[in-house]
C-alpha cells in the first residue's frame, strides 16, 4: 500500500506525491471508492492516505443489482430450511409471529445502516472499515475477528444441515464415515467453486434461489386447501426460548455481510439500497408463508419438526416428487448459503489486508478469476474443522460473536453520524440522532438478550475468541514493526493515534509534524 501526502481543503483534494513514492494519487472521480476530503475537519491540512492494492481489475466483473439481491438473500436466508427447530422449540403460533415481525424489527434497521455506510465508504472490508474509521485499528481488528469467525462458524452449519436432508434419501449419510466423507467432499468442492469468481457466485445465486424457492411456493399453494387455523394453537409443554431465539436469529441475520464486497459492486450508491430493500421482502415472505402453511396443513406435533421436516410436509401435501424436490433444494440452498457467505468472509480478509490489519498475502487475487484465494483457502480449512460440531453449538456460538460485532456496529454508525455529519452519504437514513438511537434500541436489546441467554460453554468460547482477536491485532503490529511479515503499509509501524490519522478520520492534533 502506497502512502501520499495530500493537501486538503474543505470539499477539495489536491495531491503532491512524496519524494519516495513512484506515483501520485489522482483527484478522486465520482466512481472512486471514497471521497475522503469531507471526512476531515476544516482545520485539517494534510494526511497520509493508504492506496488500496487489491481493486478489482475489470468493471465487467462488478456485481450488478440482480446478483447482489440474491447474494444478500443467501447471506441471510436461503429459504426456510433450518426454520423447523423454531416450531419444535416454542410451537407453531409463536414461530409464525416470529418470522413475520423479526425481519422488520431486526432486518430493516440493520439494512438501513448497511445501506448508509456501504455507500458512504464503499470499500472491501465493510464493517471493519467502518469501525476502523470511527474508533481506530484496534476496534477494526476486533470487529473483523468477531464478524469473520461468526461468518465462518455460521457456514460450518450448512454441510451438516445438507447431510440431514440427504440422509432421508440415503441413510448412510446420517452418521459414521459416510457422513464425514459427504461433509468433507462438500466443503472442498464448494471452496473450489468459490475460487472461480464473484460473478459466477452471484449469478449462480440467482439460479439457486429460483430452484430452491419454487417448491415452497408449491407447498404454500397446495397447503391452502388443507389449512386449519386451530393447528397453529398447539402448545409445547416446555418452551425452549433460547433455542427459538437462536434459530430465529440465525435464520435472519447477516444483513451487513455484503458490505465486505462493497468495492466489487457496480454503482454501490444506487445498487446497495435497492438490493437490501428487495432482499428484506423476499426473505420475510420466504419464511413466513411456508411456516404458516406447513403448520396449518398437517397434524404433526411440534416435536416432529426437526431439521429436514419440510421434506415430510411436502410429501404429505404434494407427494414424493415434491418431497424429493425439497430435499434437492436443501442441498442447493446449502450451496448458495455457503458460497455467498464464504465470499463475504474472504473479501473481509482482503479488506483487512488493505487496511494493514492483516498481512498483504490476504490481498492477493487469483490471476484468472480475481478472487482472494488465500482467504478462501483459510476459510475452507476452518469450516471443514467445525462442520463436525453439534448444530446447536454452531449456531449459538455464531450468534453471540455476531451480537458483539453488531453492538459495535451500531455504536460505529451513531458515532460516524455525530462526529462526521458532513460525510458524503449517497444514501442517508432519513432520521436525526434521536430517531437513529430509537431505531437501534430494539436490535440492541435483542442482542443483549442473545448474549445473556448463551450457555456458559458458548459464552466462555466467545470470550476466548475475543481475547484471541485482540492478541492477533497486537501480534500483527509486532510482526510489522520487526519486519517479520509483509503488510500493505510498509512505511513503518505507527502508534495507535498516528495510525488513526493515517486512515483519515483522526483528530486535529499535530502528529509527527504532519498537519
Amino acid at each position: 500500500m502506497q502512502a501520499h501526502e495530500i493537501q486538503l481543503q474543505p470539499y477539495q483534494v489536491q495531491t503532491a506525491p512524496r519524494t519516495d513514492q513512484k506515483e501520485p494519487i489522482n483527484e478522486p472521480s465520482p466512481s472512486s471508492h471514497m471521497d475522503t476530503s469531507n471526512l476531515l475537519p476544516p482545520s485539517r491540512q494534510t494526511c497520509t492516505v493508504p492506496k488500496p492494492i487489491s481493486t478489482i481489475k475489470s468493471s465487467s466483473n462488478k456485481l450488478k443489482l440482480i446478483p447482489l439481491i440474491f447474494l444478500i438473500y443467501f447471506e441471510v436466508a436461503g429459504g426456510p430450511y433450518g426454520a423447523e427447530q423454531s416450531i419444535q422449540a416454542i410451537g407453531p403460533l409463536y414461530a409464525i409471529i416470529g418470522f413475520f415481525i423479526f425481519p422488520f424489527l431486526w432486518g430493516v434497521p440493520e439494512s438501513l445502516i448497511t445501506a448508509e455506510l456501504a455507500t458512504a465508504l464503499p470499500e472491501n472490508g465493510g464493517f471493519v472499515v467502518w469501525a476502523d474509521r470511527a474508533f481506530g485499528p484496534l476496534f477494526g481488528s476486533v470487529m473483523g475477528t468477531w464478524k469473520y469467525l461468526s461468518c465462518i462458524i455460521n457456514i460450518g452449519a450448512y454441510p451438516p444441515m445438507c447431510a440431514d436432508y440427504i440422509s432421508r434419501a440415503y441413510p448412510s449419510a446420517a452418521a459414521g464415515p459416510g457422513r464425514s466423507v459427504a461433509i468433507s467432499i462438500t466443503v472442498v468442492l464448494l471452496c473450489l467453486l468459490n475460487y472461480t469468481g464473484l460473478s459466477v457466485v452471484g449469478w449462480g445465486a440467482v439460479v439457486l434461489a429460483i430452484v430452491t424457492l419454487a417448491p415452497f411456493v408449491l407447498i404454500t399453494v397446495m397447503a391452502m386447501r388443507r389449512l386449519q387455523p386451530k393447528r397453529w394453537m398447539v402448545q409445547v409443554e416446555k418452551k425452549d426460548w433460547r433455542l427459538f431465539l437462536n434459530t430465529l436469529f440465525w435464520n435472519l441475520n447477516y444483513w451487513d455481510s455484503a458490505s465486505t464486497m462493497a468495492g466489487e459492486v457496480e454503482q454501490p450508491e444506487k445498487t446497495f439500497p435497492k438490493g437490501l430493500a428487495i432482499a428484506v421482502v423476499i426473505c420475510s415472505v420466504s419464511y413466513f408463508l411456508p411456516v404458516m402453511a406447513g403448520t396449518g396443513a398437517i397434524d404433526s406435533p411440534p416435536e416432529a419438526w426437526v431439521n429436514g421436516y419440510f421434506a415430510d410436509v411436502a410429501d404429505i401435501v404434494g407427494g414424493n416428487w415434491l418431497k424429493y424436490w425439497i430435499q434437492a433444494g436443501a442441498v442447493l440452498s446449502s450451496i448458495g448459503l455457503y458460497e455467498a457467505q464464504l465470499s463475504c468472509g474472504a473479501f473481509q480478509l482482503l479488506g483487512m489486508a488493505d487496511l494493514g490489519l492483516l498481512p498483504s498475502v490476504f490481498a492477493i487475487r487469483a490471476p484468472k478469476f480475481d478472487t482472494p484465494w488465500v482467504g478462501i483457502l483459510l476459510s475452507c480449512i476452518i469450516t471443514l474443522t467445525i462442520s463436525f460440531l453439534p448444530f446447536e453449538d454452531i449456531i449459538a456460538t455464531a450468534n453471540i460473536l455476531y451480537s458483539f460485532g453488531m453492538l459495535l456496529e451500531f455504536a460505529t454508525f451513531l458515532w460516524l453520524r455525530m462526529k462526521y455529519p458532513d460525510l458524503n452519504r449517497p444514501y442517508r437514513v432519513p432520521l436525526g440522532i434521536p430517531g437513529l438511537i430509537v431505531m437501534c434500541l430494539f436490535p440492541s436489546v435483542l442482542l443483549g438478550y442473545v448474549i445473556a441467554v448463551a450457555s456458559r460453554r458458548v459464552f466462555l468460547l466467545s470470550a476466548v475468541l475475543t481475547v484471541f482477536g485482540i492478541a492477533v491485532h497486537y501480534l500483527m503490529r509486532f510482526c510489522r514493526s520487526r519486519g517479520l511479515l509483509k503488510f500493505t503499509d510498509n512505511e513503518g509501524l505507527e502508534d495507535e493515534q498516528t495510525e488513526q490519522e493515517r486512515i483519515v478520520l483522526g483528530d486535529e492534533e499535530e502528529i509527527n509534524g504532519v498537519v
Side-chain angles (χ1 to χ4, degrees), residues 396-453:
T397 304
N399 284 347
I400 194 171
L401 289 173
Y402 187 78
S403 297
F404 289 147
M406 282 308 305
L407 288 173
L408 178 56
E409 187 171 312
F410 289 147
T412 296
F413 172 69
L414 294 173
W415 179 255
L416 288 176
R417 178 65 81 88
M418 291 185 293
K419 184 73 172 179
Y420 304 100
D422 295 327
L423 170 64
N424 180 29
R425 293 172 169 89
Y427 173 82
R428 186 183 183 94
V429 180
L431 294 172
I433 297 300
L436 295 177
I437 293 174
V438 172
M439 184 186 79
C440 295
L441 184 60
F442 172 79
S444 298
V445 171
L446 177 63
L447 293 170
Y449 181 77
V450 170
I451 295 171
V453 301

Side-chain angles (χ1 to χ4, degrees), residues 189-504:
L189 290 179
L190 293 182
C191 286
L192 290 175
L193 177 61
N194 199 272
Y195 176 79
T196 61
L198 195 55
S199 294
V200 173
V201 174
W203 285 108
V206 176
V207 176
L208 291 175
I210 294 171
V211 175
T212 56
L213 284 176
F216 287 101
V217 173
L218 294 176
I219 286 178
T220 301
V221 172
M222 293 178 179
M224 289 301 174
R225 56 187 171 86
R226 307 168 55 103
L227 210 61
Q228 294 184 23
K230 66 179 182 180
R231 291 172 174 147
W232 297 332
M233 305 302 169
V234 176
Q235 297 296 311
V236 175
E237 290 185 9
K238 186 178 180 181
K239 293 180 173 61
D240 190 342
W241 290 97
R242 178 188 297 175
L243 177 59
F244 169 70
L245 185 60
N246 272 327
T247 303
L248 195 67
F249 192 64
W250 178 72
N251 277 277
L252 289 167
N253 58 12
Y254 294 94
W255 293 97
D256 59 343
S257 292
S259 68
T260 64
M261 303 179 293
E264 316 298 306
V265 175
E266 185 179 75
Q267 294 184 315
E269 68 281 357
K270 297 180 180 179
T271 307
F272 255 105
K274 291 180 183 178
L276 285 162
I278 296 171
V280 167
V281 175
I282 294 175
C283 290
S284 176
V285 171
S286 69
Y287 277 102
F288 170 71
L289 290 181
V291 170
M292 181 182 67
T295 55
I298 61 176
D299 289 316
S300 299
E303 56 266 23
W305 286 80
V306 297
N307 278 337
Y309 193 70
F310 266 119
D312 295 328
V313 175
D315 190 20
I316 294 171
V317 302
N320 282 337
W321 66 274
L322 190 55
K323 173 184 178 179
Y324 294 141
W325 192 351
I326 288 288
Q327 290 173 334
V331 177
L332 296 175
S333 176
S334 296
I335 292 173
L337 288 160
Y338 193 95
E339 291 298 321
Q341 295 189 19
L342 179 61
S343 294
C344 291
F347 276 99
Q348 179 193 320
L349 296 181
L350 181 148
M352 293 178 72
D354 275 347
L355 287 172
L357 299 176
L358 289 177
S360 58
V361 65
F362 288 100
I364 298 175
R365 291 180 183 258
K368 182 176 181 180
F369 301 110
D370 217 28
T371 48
W373 66 270
V374 177
I376 293 173
L377 178 61
L378 176 64
S379 302
C380 177
I381 294 171
I382 297 175
T383 302
L384 189 60
T385 302
I386 65 177
S387 291
F388 299 98
L389 296 176
F391 181 81
E392 290 185 26
D393 286 347
I394 290 176
I395 64 173
T397 304
N399 284 347
I400 194 171
L401 289 173
Y402 187 78
S403 297
F404 289 147
M406 282 308 305
L407 288 173
L408 178 56
E409 187 171 312
F410 289 147
T412 296
F413 172 69
L414 294 173
W415 179 255
L416 288 176
R417 178 65 81 88
M418 291 185 293
K419 184 73 172 179
Y420 304 100
D422 295 327
L423 170 64
N424 180 29
R425 293 172 169 89
Y427 173 82
R428 186 183 183 94
V429 180
L431 294 172
I433 297 300
L436 295 177
I437 293 174
V438 172
M439 184 186 79
C440 295
L441 184 60
F442 172 79
S444 298
V445 171
L446 177 63
L447 293 170
Y449 181 77
V450 170
I451 295 171
V453 301
S455 67
R456 181 177 298 180
R457 178 174 59 181
V458 170
F459 192 84
L460 179 61
L461 176 60
S462 301
V464 170
L465 292 175
T466 300
V467 173
F468 170 76
I470 296 173
V472 167
H473 171 74
Y474 286 104
L475 176 62
M476 293 299 101
R477 289 175 58 82
F478 175 80
C479 291
R480 183 169 57 179
S481 67
R482 300 299 177 89
L484 300 177
L485 294 172
K486 184 178 179 181
F487 291 82
T488 55
D489 177 15
N490 57 7
E491 294 297 321
L493 182 63
E494 305 164 296
D495 57 41
E496 290 288 339
Q497 190 179 22
T498 306
E499 182 75 6
Q500 190 168 353
E501 289 288 311
R502 183 185 64 79
I503 59 169
V504 180

